[in-house]
Amino acid sequence: MDNRQAIGSWIAGPRATAEDMGVDFGYRGRRLGLPEEGPGSIARFGRRLAALCIDWALCLLIAYGLLSGGRAQSASNWALAVFAVLSLLTVGTVGFTPGKRMLGLRVVAEGGGRLSLPRVALRTLLLVVVIPAVVWDRDGRGLHDRLARSVEVRI
């Protein structure tokens, strides 16, 4: 192997290198028994990020208007608390936040169905901490979803 090939494999990452060697990972969600495309398939990162931005903007608006007394600096702290309550209540009852609903996403248990309240609470706590949400597995699920045994799917 010359240096160009070694550098290319390092930049592409371990998955690309393994695929070049003939390892078949399949599509995202295959190990979970989910379809590759359409309703019930794992939600793509772009949609999930857009839903998070919509939810965060809504929480900032609520925090600024109702809780911070018009102070922009304290609004972001309140927004985190509002986000936690919003996520806990909406995902725990209907399976999605307003942003997720607008973009056609839902949080379900790994085997299908709704999440129990303790699992929603664990997922919300880990999501608010942020670090578990940016560590993904090969299916594109964050650590918060993996530990709560949940999947964010398309509706």
Side-chain angles (χ1 to χ4, degrees), residues 39-93:
S41 64
I42 288 189
R44 301 278 184 209
F45 174 73
R47 255 189 205 195
R48 290 170 36 198
L49 183 62
L52 179 67
C53 290
I54 291 169
D55 290 335
W56 185 252
L58 178 65
C59 292
L60 270 174
L61 184 65
I62 291 169
Y64 182 77
L66 299 177
L67 300 171
S68 71
R71 293 185 313 271
Q73 290 179 334
S74 66
S76 62
N77 293 333
W78 281 109
L80 189 61
V82 171
F83 180 79
V85 170
L86 175 79
S87 181
L88 186 64
L89 292 177
T90 58
V91 172
T93 56

Side-chain angles (χ1 to χ4, degrees), residues 7 12-13 25 28 47 74 87 98 112 119 123 153:
I7 289 172
F25 289 108
R28 295 174 339 125
R47 255 189 205 195
S74 66
S87 181
R119 287 168 58 185
R123 182 183 188 277
V153 296

